[in-house]
Amino acid sequence: LIQLAIPLNFIGFVYREIRQGLTDIEHMFDLLDVQAEVVDKPDAKELMIDKGAISFTDVHFAYDPARPILKGISIDVPAGKTVAVVGPSGAGKSTLSRLLYRFYDVQGGSITVDGQDVRDVTQKSLRAVIGMVPQDTVLFNDTIAYNIRYGRIEASDSDVEAAAEAAQIADFIRSLPEGFRAMVGERGLKLSGGEKQRVAIARTILKAPPILILDEATSALDTKTEQEIQAALDIVSRNRTTLVIAHRLSTVIHADEIIVLKDGVIAERGTHGELIDRDGLYASMWSRQREATQAEEQLKRVRESD
Ligand code: ATP
């Protein structure tokens, strides 16, 4: 029994790691042949997507019953609009995206897409309409073209190139000796965090889903990379229902609504202008981040003049 318990334990570990990373999970499940924790109801229906409106209603969730993470969260993301979630580290921002993608089920309240509870539909049909740009993309050990085409297997070479163009990664790919045929992943070319994220954006542009979840990388990016990624994200989120899990406030200024999450509840909500006028938590996060950016820029100028 012990001999069996160790590999099972290992599979459990791998499964938790994968789920945490929000990466190509279905593919990985196929590889590992592991049963997911969340299972479809026997009478689960296909999600009937209309315009892709999302509602979180009084959502409660805890990974560990002794430590509630979300305590009654209600958020509406109207079809085609962008809602950004900000807040201190560990506030539960990414947890919201994991619940929408249904890696876990809510323990109270509900999440609906176009009025259908995510627990009543098949996971396959739910995930088919959601494009996820995770914090950290795991690439397949294959060509860069394959990694982009994974968003829509039947896409032509010119579709793949157009998606790379829109994701601001085409010039970089063309600069590689083997171009789109360059091997990436663990056994190939190692891409930076920003490059991997743009491959994920290109993949999502090809998939063209009605709903998008953008989980920004926490890692610091240089200003140029950040601007390129922002430009790519603006293209992909245009006219799509978008939930942004934001770590940098510069990316949320244009959101239709900003939700400030703290200690499991919504501390503030409104547009950037409304929240600045309110002079509360968001306004203080904003001024702190601006000071940090200004200090960084000053430091850079001093270094450059040396
Ligand atoms: P950050 O800005 O640092 O990414 P976040 O607001 O996105 O943080 P979450 O990733 O949603 O935070 O995590 C919320 C809390 O839940 C954290 O305290 C985290 O430690 C905890 N948590 C996250 N995943 C798990 C898990 N699989 N098991 C147990 N606790 C978890």
Side-chain angles (χ1 to χ4, degrees), residues 50-69:
D50 181 22
K51 299 213 168 68
I54 304 165
S55 287
F56 290 77
T57 309
D58 196 23
V59 166
H60 288 255
F61 181 77
Y63 294 97
D64 165 1
R67 198 162 72 93
I69 302 292

Side-chain angles (χ1 to χ4, degrees), residues 16 19-20 63-64 67 69 87-96 98 104 135 215 218 245 247 261:
R16 279 189 298 278
R19 183 166 57 182
Q20 189 77 41
Y63 294 97
D64 165 1
R67 198 162 72 93
I69 302 292
S89 177
K93 303 181 294 293
S94 298
T95 303
L96 284 171
R98 288 178 205 135
Y104 301 91
Q135 284 201 13
D215 202 343
T218 21
I245 308 300
H247 293 100
L261 208 60

Side-chain angles (χ1 to χ4, degrees), residues 275-295:
L275 292 174
I276 292 292
D277 287 347
R278 196 186 154 123
D279 206 15
L281 185 60
Y282 180 85
S284 69
M285 286 165 66
W286 178 254
S287 60
R288 242 181 302 139
Q289 204 162 82
R290 276 189 68 153
E291 280 164 23
T293 315
Q294 277 163 1

